[in-house]
Every structure is written in C-alpha cells, then in structure tokens.
Coordinates of all heavy atoms in Angstrom, one line a residue:
T143 N 59.4 90.6 177.4 CA 59.6 90.5 176.0 C 61.1 90.3 175.6 O 61.4 89.5 174.8 CB 58.9 91.6 175.2 OG1 57.5 91.7 175.5 CG2 59.1 91.4 173.7
A144 N 61.9 91.1 176.3 CA 63.4 91.0 176.0 C 63.9 89.7 176.5 O 64.7 89.0 175.8 CB 64.1 92.1 176.7
V145 N 63.4 89.2 177.7 CA 63.8 87.9 178.2 C 63.3 86.8 177.3 O 64.0 85.8 177.1 CB 63.4 87.7 179.7 CG1 63.6 86.3 180.1 CG2 64.1 88.7 180.6
T146 N 62.1 87.0 176.8 CA 61.6 86.0 175.8 C 62.4 85.8 174.6 O 62.6 84.7 174.1 CB 60.1 86.4 175.5 OG1 59.4 86.4 176.7 CG2 59.5 85.4 174.5
K147 N 62.9 87.0 174.1 CA 63.8 86.9 172.9 C 65.1 86.1 173.3 O 65.5 85.3 172.5 CB 64.2 88.3 172.5 CG 65.0 88.3 171.2 CD 65.0 89.7 170.6 CE 66.0 89.8 169.4 NZ 65.6 89.1 168.3
L148 N 65.6 86.2 174.5 CA 66.7 85.4 174.9 C 66.4 84.0 174.9 O 67.1 83.1 174.5 CB 67.2 85.9 176.3 CG 68.1 87.1 176.3 CD1 68.4 87.5 177.7 CD2 69.4 86.9 175.5
L149 N 65.2 83.6 175.5 CA 64.8 82.3 175.6 C 64.5 81.6 174.3 O 64.7 80.5 174.0 CB 63.6 82.1 176.6 CG 63.9 82.4 178.0 CD1 62.6 82.4 178.8 CD2 64.9 81.5 178.6
E150 N 64.0 82.5 173.4 CA 63.8 82.0 172.0 C 65.1 81.5 171.4 O 65.1 80.6 170.6 CB 63.1 83.1 171.2 CG 62.9 82.7 169.7 CD 62.5 84.0 168.9 OE1 62.6 85.1 169.4 OE2 62.1 83.7 167.8
N151 N 66.1 82.2 171.6 CA 67.5 81.9 171.1 C 67.9 80.5 171.5 O 68.6 79.8 170.8 CB 68.5 82.9 171.5 CG 68.2 84.2 170.9 OD1 67.5 84.3 169.9 ND2 68.8 85.3 171.5
L152 N 67.4 80.1 172.7 CA 67.7 78.7 173.2 C 67.0 77.6 172.4 O 67.5 76.5 172.2 CB 67.3 78.5 174.7 CG 68.1 79.3 175.7 CD1 67.5 79.1 177.1 CD2 69.6 78.9 175.7
L153 N 65.9 78.0 171.8 CA 65.1 77.0 171.1 C 65.3 77.0 169.6 O 64.8 76.1 168.9 CB 63.6 77.2 171.5 CG 63.3 77.2 173.0 CD1 61.8 77.6 173.2 CD2 63.6 75.9 173.6
V154 N 65.9 78.0 169.1 CA 66.2 78.1 167.6 C 67.3 77.1 167.3 O 68.3 77.1 168.0 CB 66.5 79.5 167.2 CG1 66.8 79.6 165.8 CG2 65.3 80.4 167.5
K155 N 67.2 76.4 166.2 CA 68.2 75.4 165.8 C 69.3 75.9 165.0 O 70.2 75.2 164.6 CB 67.5 74.2 165.2 CG 66.6 73.4 166.1 CD 66.0 72.2 165.4 CE 65.1 71.5 166.3 NZ 64.5 70.3 165.8
T156 N 69.2 77.2 164.6 CA 70.3 77.7 163.8 C 71.5 78.2 164.6 O 71.4 78.3 165.8 CB 69.7 78.9 162.9 OG1 69.3 79.9 163.9 CG2 68.6 78.5 162.1
E157 N 72.5 78.6 163.9 CA 73.7 79.1 164.6 C 73.4 80.6 165.0 O 72.5 81.2 164.4 CB 74.9 79.2 163.6 CG 75.4 77.8 163.3 CD 75.9 77.1 164.5 OE1 76.7 77.7 165.3 OE2 75.7 75.9 164.7
P158 N 74.0 81.0 166.1 CA 73.8 82.4 166.6 C 74.1 83.4 165.5 O 75.0 83.3 164.8 CB 74.7 82.5 167.8 CG 75.1 81.2 168.1 CD 75.0 80.3 166.9
S159 N 73.2 84.4 165.5 CA 73.4 85.5 164.5 C 73.1 86.8 165.2 O 72.5 86.9 166.3 CB 72.5 85.3 163.3 OG 71.1 85.5 163.7
P160 N 73.5 88.0 164.6 CA 73.3 89.3 165.2 C 71.8 89.5 165.4 O 71.4 90.3 166.3 CB 73.9 90.3 164.2 CG 74.9 89.5 163.5 CD 74.4 88.1 163.5
S161 N 70.9 89.0 164.6 CA 69.5 89.2 164.7 C 68.9 88.5 166.0 O 67.8 88.9 166.4 CB 68.7 88.7 163.5 OG 68.8 87.3 163.4
Q162 N 69.6 87.6 166.6 CA 69.2 86.9 167.8 C 69.7 87.6 169.0 O 69.3 87.2 170.1 CB 69.7 85.5 167.8 CG 69.0 84.6 166.7 CD 69.6 83.2 166.7 OE1 70.8 83.0 167.1 NE2 68.9 82.2 166.2
A163 N 70.6 88.6 168.8 CA 71.2 89.2 170.0 C 70.2 90.2 170.7 O 69.3 90.7 170.0 CB 72.4 90.0 169.5
V164 N 70.3 90.3 172.0 CA 69.5 91.2 172.7 C 70.4 92.3 173.3 O 71.5 92.0 173.8 CB 68.8 90.5 173.9 CG1 68.1 91.5 174.8 CG2 67.8 89.4 173.4
S165 N 70.0 93.5 173.1 CA 70.9 94.6 173.5 C 70.9 94.7 175.0 O 69.9 94.6 175.7 CB 70.3 95.9 172.9 OG 70.8 97.0 173.6
C166 N 72.1 94.9 175.6 CA 72.3 95.0 177.0 C 71.6 96.3 177.5 O 71.1 96.4 178.6 CB 73.8 95.0 177.4 SG 74.1 95.0 179.1
S167 N 71.7 97.3 176.6 CA 71.1 98.6 177.0 C 69.6 98.5 177.2 O 69.0 99.2 178.0 CB 71.4 99.7 176.1 OG 70.9 99.5 174.8
S168 N 68.9 97.7 176.3 CA 67.4 97.6 176.5 C 67.1 96.9 177.8 O 66.1 97.3 178.5 CB 66.8 96.9 175.3 OG 67.3 95.5 175.2
C169 N 67.8 95.9 178.2 CA 67.6 95.2 179.4 C 67.9 96.1 180.6 O 67.1 96.2 181.6 CB 68.4 93.9 179.5 SG 67.8 92.6 178.4
T170 N 69.0 96.8 180.5 CA 69.3 97.8 181.6 C 68.3 98.9 181.7 O 67.9 99.2 182.9 CB 70.7 98.4 181.3 OG1 71.7 97.3 181.1 CG2 71.2 99.3 182.5
T171 N 67.8 99.4 180.6 CA 66.8 100.4 180.7 C 65.5 99.9 181.4 O 65.0 100.6 182.2 CB 66.4 100.9 179.3 OG1 67.6 101.4 178.6 CG2 65.3 101.9 179.3
C172 N 65.1 98.7 181.1 CA 63.9 98.1 181.7 C 64.1 97.9 183.2 O 63.3 98.2 184.0 CB 63.6 96.8 181.0 SG 62.9 97.0 179.3
V173 N 65.3 97.4 183.5 CA 65.5 97.1 185.0 C 65.6 98.4 185.8 O 65.0 98.5 186.8 CB 66.8 96.3 185.1 CG1 67.2 96.2 186.6 CG2 66.6 94.9 184.5
V174 N 66.3 99.4 185.3 CA 66.4 100.6 186.0 C 65.1 101.4 186.1 O 64.7 101.9 187.2 CB 67.5 101.5 185.4 CG1 67.6 102.9 186.1 CG2 68.9 100.8 185.6
T175 N 64.4 101.4 185.0 CA 63.1 102.0 185.0 C 62.1 101.3 186.0 O 61.4 102.0 186.7 CB 62.5 102.0 183.6 OG1 63.4 102.7 182.7 CG2 61.1 102.8 183.5
E176 N 62.1 100.0 186.0 CA 61.3 99.3 186.9 C 61.6 99.6 188.3 O 60.8 99.8 189.2 CB 61.4 97.8 186.6 CG 60.4 96.9 187.4 CD 60.4 95.5 186.9 OE1 61.5 95.0 186.3 OE2 59.4 94.8 187.1
T177 N 62.9 99.6 188.6 CA 63.4 99.9 190.0 C 63.0 101.3 190.5 O 62.5 101.4 191.6 CB 64.9 99.7 190.0 OG1 65.3 98.4 189.6 CG2 65.4 100.0 191.4

C-alpha cells in the first residue's frame, strides 16, 4: 500500500504536494518488520 501511494504519485497530473509524500519511517518499519 505504501509503494502504491508512491506509484500513484507518478500518475497524478498535479504538482507534488506534502499529501503525496510517503514517510520514510513507514517504509522502513514495514521492511524491518517483514525481515
């Protein structure tokens, strides 16, 4: 779901905004927990 939010940003035609940002900590939490 976090990766999907990143990919969604590629397809949105608007300028980048803070609402499109994905937190690095959420991705890190998922990766470390999965490992």
Side-chain angles (χ1 to χ4, degrees):
T143 303
V145 170
T146 300
K147 185 165 172 68
L148 280 174
L149 292 175
E150 175 190 13
N151 294 340
L152 290 175
L153 304 174
V154 175
K155 294 185 180 183
T156 62
E157 289 298 316
S159 69
S161 67
Q162 294 175 334
V164 174
S165 165
C166 185
S167 64
S168 66
C169 289
T170 305
T171 301
C172 288
V173 169
V174 172
T175 302
E176 186 172 25
T177 302

